[in-house]
Amino acid sequence: MISLVLPDRSRWPSWVDAIDEFGGAVLHGFSTFGFDAQELRFPDAFDRWLNREIRQRTEGQGGFVPATVWWIVDDVDPSYVLGSIHLRHELNDVLLADGGHVGYGIRPSERGRGVATAALELCLYQAQQRGITRALLVCESDNPASRRTILSAGGVLENTSGTFERYWVALNKPRNPSSARRNIRE
């Protein structure tokens, strides 16, 4: 079953492996802003990143809004990082235009098995617990997999802005995190 865990040193090597699978592509939801993917292989850089993310949960860092990043794992092997998901606790003008409340990325070898759908549901539960009543989710227009994930979470298209589609998910009904922690497809 899928779970969200806060980043830690024990899963760090698996997280770096997940980053490597992207082959230099944009790491949505990994919260690596200000860090080069190569430098995160080194303990001191990872520790700086981790400390920033811990502070980021309560106070925006480096011009960013407060946010929480989780690593996505499966109970079958909780040391293996499937991907990452990032909840921004509030929106500024930039995020309102084309960023949204949530960013996520699933390592390419784990896509197509329901990981993003389950992780997004868990993240939206966390958003609801923080008092967010409507979550903005944004995806690129040429990303049908992300669109399907957003729609499965109840996303309603507001508009298309440039290369982005903007969806709102109402969080006014209780969300059940245990239903999201379902087994993923083999």
Side-chain angles (χ1 to χ4, degrees), residues 151-163:
L151 290 172
S152 73
V156 176
L157 180 65
E158 178 181 63
N159 64 16
T160 300
S161 174
T163 61

Side-chain angles (χ1 to χ4, degrees), residues 34 75 80 85:
D75 294 346
Y80 182 73
I85 194 161

Side-chain angles (χ1 to χ4, degrees), residues 86-107:
H86 187 215
L87 172 65
R88 298 165 193 108
H89 304 169
E90 58 191 57
L91 297 177
N92 59 20
D93 290 341
V94 172
L95 294 173
L96 190 58
D98 63 12
H101 281 99
V102 179
Y104 54 88
I106 307 301
R107 64 164 72 208

Side-chain angles (χ1 to χ4, degrees), residues 4 11 13 27 48 55 71 75 87 100 106 112 181:
L4 303 183
R11 293 180 183 94
L27 294 169
R48 284 193 320 275
R55 291 188 313 271
W71 291 344
D75 294 346
L87 172 65
I106 307 301
R181 287 193 173 121

